[in-house]
Amino acid sequence: MTTPTQFADSVMNTYARLPVAFERGQGAWLYDSNEEQYLDAISGIGVVGLGHAHPAVTRTIQEQAGKLLHTSNLYHITAQSTLAQELTSITGMSKAFFCNSGAEANEAAIKLARLYGNERHIDQPQILVMERAFHGRTLATLSASGNRKIQAGFEPLVRGFVRAPLNDIDALFHVAKNNKNIVAILFETIQGEGGVHLADTAYLEAVRTLCDVQNWLMMLDEVHSGNGRTGKYFAYQHSRIQPDVVVTAKGLGNGIPIGVMLTNDKTSTLFKPGHHGSTFGGNPFACTVAQTVVKTLFNDRLIERAATLGERMLSGLQAKLEGADYIVDIRGKLATHKKF
């Protein structure tokens, strides 16, 4: 293993890095400069869902790099339009806004919700968010997150967020009764960094009904859980609900930065020219690569494979660890939930 002293000290110390640097990857494996092999069990933090150096992605990167990387959103971008059509077809949503990361996609959703509230003449629009949530590290998404540790030292935080526990519909009813400034609810279908806590199907359906009654926007963060990881393209598709906004990133580009906010008919016309934008968002390179990722997920039946392997792993863990007093819970989207 490489020692820390071999690394340059000119990079800011914002990560507690492990003392290793990888030189290449192949499938689920990474290799350091000494050709030692490591299993990438976290897929680059939920990014490289197709594996490293995937041949179709590599081929697309090579071909598109020789054609066109960037123009700007001052012009129409064919690859962006095509990707938007594919994602809206998969989800039943209406429009797409492209950016470069999950945090940026959540920022777009937060801005959209505030605009929605202001157009309803709510002077101080507020967004309902969850305890243990993680939505990013920009100032607004940091404020929306439910982790005090990552917020500490960055005060004053962005105002306009009200917090409730996940899966507690009574808490949402209480907020609805006592706070008339709520305009939207934003939460992860599966909390990632918060500890893999799942939004129950009954909770999703109850939230959808509550949002309809209160005229709130239902906004889902599927940055971690999207792009086929749970056996559906998005985790919310295991239920019968349809959100007003859904955001994703990470696995959409298999390592090439891209994020997207998808909107339905109710929310698609809120942004007008000048309301929001991104220099690099939706560029020809990222969108072309993302098209290949989406195509591969479906053509190679990898979403179905994720469902099969997920069931196998979760049921296997439950069978092997049942009765173990050191296990508190085993959580997963596809397995029958069992408390230990």
Side-chain angles (χ1 to χ4, degrees), residues 132-133 142 145-157 163:
R132 296 190 304 245
L142 185 76
S145 297
N147 185 336
R148 180 57 194 152
K149 181 179 178 181
I150 65 172
Q151 295 172 341
F154 299 107
E155 298 84 355
L157 300 175
R163 209 166 302 282

Side-chain angles (χ1 to χ4, degrees), residues 91 93 189 218-222 234 236 243-248 260-263:
T91 59
M93 303 298 277
T189 318
M218 184 179 186
M219 308 195 302
L220 298 181
D221 179 345
E222 295 240 17
F234 284 119
Y236 79 83
D244 299 301
V245 175
V246 60
V247 304
T248 196
V260 62
M261 175 182 70
L262 299 171
T263 55

Side-chain angles (χ1 to χ4, degrees), residues 162-226:
V162 176
R163 209 166 302 282
L166 184 69
N167 288 326
D168 189 342
I169 193 64
D170 290 337
L172 303 190
F173 285 141
H174 178 77
V175 172
K177 181 179 178 180
N178 294 283
N179 190 330
K180 301 306 178 185
N181 289 324
I182 300 294
V183 298
I185 178 170
L186 169 66
F187 63 101
E188 299 155 279
T189 318
I190 300 176
Q191 290 183 335
E193 297 200 19
V196 192
H197 295 278
L198 288 72
D200 297 334
T201 298
Y203 179 77
L204 287 171
E205 294 174 353
V207 170
R208 179 67 272 176
T209 299
L210 180 62
C211 287
D212 291 339
V213 170
Q214 296 293 329
N215 205 17
W216 296 348
L217 301 182
M218 184 179 186
M219 308 195 302
L220 298 181
D221 179 345
E222 295 240 17
V223 172
H224 276 279
S225 55

